[in-house]
Amino acid sequence: MVSTSLTRQQALNRLLDCYAGYFDITPAQESEAPLEVEMAFHAHTSKYVLSKKAVLWEANSHEYVYVFSLPHLTLEDYRACEQLAYERGMAQVQPGPNHMYTYITALFLCDTCDPEARKALKRCRHYKSYRFSYWGWMDFHTGLAELSTGKTASNPSGHSAAQTLATTLFHKKPIFKRRERTYL
């Protein structure tokens, strides 16, 4: 067992420093515990000819990240947090002709974790396409950082979240062998 001597608050601060350059960060209310922060990223890209009025195409991309902090992650806690992140993220999705994708990410910082909760996190699959992906899609990512062991885990579409946790919190080199899985 690897001791990282990193508290959950220190891990949260490191994670916020990592995301602060790109995401809008909103601290959660104390009544919303174990939710610590909500983060949002929005990108708009377009291509035009000669004038900005002659638009060839536009694409809007969104990502919503919900960070949960618990001393011990149980299956019941995981299910409740996953449901909260999914509901809040889906309320933000606005599919339309210019919507490309929306990623909803639930990150968990915990000291210890039940094996059942880790297994459920790895098996989590929420994906939705809008009008056969012509109006974009939504994909749900999960990431877990177990601070007592220095291990990370994710669902199949959230490997980038696990890599971010591993490099930011545990200073592990990123491994780029695995590609993100999409369900198109």
Side-chain angles (χ1 to χ4, degrees), residues 1-2 70-79 82 106 108-125 141-156 159 162 165-166 170 172 178:
M1 195 183 268
V2 177
L70 298 106
H72 181 75
L73 183 64
T74 63
L75 181 61
E76 295 79 26
D77 290 336
Y78 168 72
R79 295 268 187 228
E82 175 194 338
F108 295 88
L109 302 174
C110 63
D111 297 324
T112 57
C113 175
D114 283 345
E116 297 85 20
R118 178 186 291 275
K119 188 175 181 180
L121 180 133
K122 287 182 173 183
R123 289 186 173 184
C124 176
R125 285 182 178 27
H141 300 179
T142 60
L144 168 70
E146 194 171 352
L147 301 176
S148 63
T149 61
K151 293 183 179 180
T152 60
S154 70
N155 66 346
H159 289 292
L165 290 171
F170 307 124
K172 294 181 182 176
R178 203 170 217 180

Side-chain angles (χ1 to χ4, degrees), residues 12-180:
L12 179 64
N13 290 340
R14 280 191 191 177
L15 203 58
L16 292 178
D17 288 343
C18 177
Y19 279 91
Y22 304 99
F23 284 75
D24 299 327
I25 299 172
T26 307
Q29 302 293 327
E30 286 187 29
S31 61
E32 297 175 319
L35 179 65
E36 291 289 329
V37 294
E38 294 182 32
M39 298 184 275
F41 172 79
H42 308 284
H44 174 80
T45 56
S46 63
K47 187 71 172 179
Y48 57 90
V49 178
L50 299 176
S51 162
K52 289 188 178 182
K53 292 181 181 178
V55 176
L56 294 175
W57 58 265
E58 291 180 292
N60 295 319
S61 307
H62 310 279
E63 184 169 354
Y64 302 100
V65 179
Y66 302 91
V67 181
F68 299 93
S69 177
L70 298 106
H72 181 75
L73 183 64
T74 63
L75 181 61
E76 295 79 26
D77 290 336
Y78 168 72
R79 295 268 187 228
C81 294
E82 175 194 338
Q83 186 66 27
L84 176 70
Y86 182 76
E87 287 174 358
R88 286 195 180 184
M90 287 301 287
Q92 305 273 350
V93 176
Q94 298 175 353
N98 297 331
H99 176 253
M100 184 173 169
Y101 66 81
T102 298
Y103 292 147
I104 302 169
T105 306
L107 298 178
F108 295 88
L109 302 174
C110 63
D111 297 324
T112 57
C113 175
D114 283 345
E116 297 85 20
R118 178 186 291 275
K119 188 175 181 180
L121 180 133
K122 287 182 173 183
R123 289 186 173 184
C124 176
R125 285 182 178 27
H126 295 293
Y127 176 83
K128 184 171 177 67
S129 67
Y130 302 98
R131 301 231 176 152
F132 302 103
S133 296
Y134 287 117
W135 280 17
W137 65 89
M138 180 284 304
D139 198 9
F140 190 82
H141 300 179
T142 60
L144 168 70
E146 194 171 352
L147 301 176
S148 63
T149 61
K151 293 183 179 180
T152 60
S154 70
N155 66 346
S157 60
H159 289 292
S160 61
Q163 283 186 343
T164 300
L165 290 171
T167 57
T168 304
L169 303 180
F170 307 124
H171 303 292
K172 294 181 182 176
K173 291 184 179 180
I175 300 170
F176 296 109
K177 291 180 182 178
R178 203 170 217 180
R179 298 177 74 192
E180 295 286 327

